[in-house]
Amino acid sequence: AARALGDDAPLYLADLAIIRGVPAEAVLILKDRTDMASHLRLAWACFSLGQYGRAADLWSASTDADAAELGKVLQAVTRKKISKEMIPVLKQLSTSRATPVIAAASKVFAEYLVQTGAHAKALPWARRAEWIMPYDLSLKRLIAHSASHAGNPEMALAKWREIQRMARPSSEK
């Protein structure tokens, strides 16, 4: 399959690794590549690993306007200086043409809303990010937590069960 994909194979394999919930595998695939497309995937992998500072640096260095703007927002997040002025920026980034930017912006916005206590408003943003990153356990925990606080115990329970199934070693499944 990699031969059939040609030069883009590492990018597709990295995307699949991130989506499958193993971003460390994507880092291994991309770590020695120097092209901008690989750096953008590497930023997404770092973001998925919770390394927001590293992801911010990589995205900020991008020539893609949306990725560079996301990098600036993530730098503010890492300095704990995210503000209400960034809300329109995050909303705009969530409509980007780049899937990693959509996922990251949606997740960061959901995290911001949770921090402000707006759990019900955070849910659709977290669900949007989850659609792109279906195996991200931290995102599933955020959804479960927000659903519980927003008065949706059924959704919260379903997410906690899903997290439990995903966290179980494959030999127990």
Side-chain angles (χ1 to χ4, degrees):
R3 264 194 304 260
L5 292 171
D7 291 341
D8 289 338
L11 299 177
Y12 294 126
L13 293 172
D15 284 348
L16 285 173
I18 296 165
I19 291 167
R20 283 190 348 252
V22 285
E25 184 178 312
V27 171
L28 292 174
I29 293 167
L30 300 168
K31 67 182 172 86
D32 296 327
R33 295 177 55 93
T34 57
D35 60 288
M36 185 54 67
S38 294
H39 280 256
L40 295 175
R41 279 4 183 261
L42 187 57
W44 189 22
C46 290
F47 177 82
S48 298
L49 289 167
Q51 299 174 353
Y52 285 19
R54 177 76 174 122
D57 292 343
L58 289 164
W59 270 319
S60 293
S62 174
T63 56
D64 178 80
D66 287 349
E69 191 65 32
L70 178 61
K72 290 178 193 173
V73 170
L74 283 179
Q75 287 171 341
V77 168
T78 59
R79 291 189 310 267
K80 309 269 191 245
K81 295 192 183 219
I82 191 163
S83 62
K84 289 182 182 179
E85 291 79 36
M86 292 183 190
I87 292 172
V89 175
L90 287 169
K91 286 181 177 179
Q92 179 63 35
L93 290 172
S94 73
T95 64
S96 173
R97 59 180 165 55
T99 303
V101 172
I102 295 168
S106 298
K107 183 177 180 182
V108 167
F109 191 37
E111 290 170 344
Y112 170 77
L113 290 169
V114 166
Q115 289 173 1
T116 64
H119 295 281
K121 289 181 180 179
L123 281 170
W125 294 97
R127 299 292 302 262
R128 174 184 277 203
E130 181 190 33
W131 184 80
I132 299 168
M133 302 184 316
Y135 297 100
D136 185 320
L137 288 174
S138 67
L139 196 49
K140 291 191 182 301
R141 284 191 292 275
L142 185 141
I143 293 169
H145 177 77
S146 291
S148 177
H149 284 279
N152 191 338
E154 296 84 15
M155 180 189 288
L157 185 58
K159 282 294 159 200
W160 286 121
R161 286 182 177 149
E162 190 176 343
I163 292 165
Q164 189 178 31
R165 278 192 309 275
M166 289 173 62
R168 210 177 293 144
S170 59
S171 62
E172 294 179 24
K173 290 181 182 177

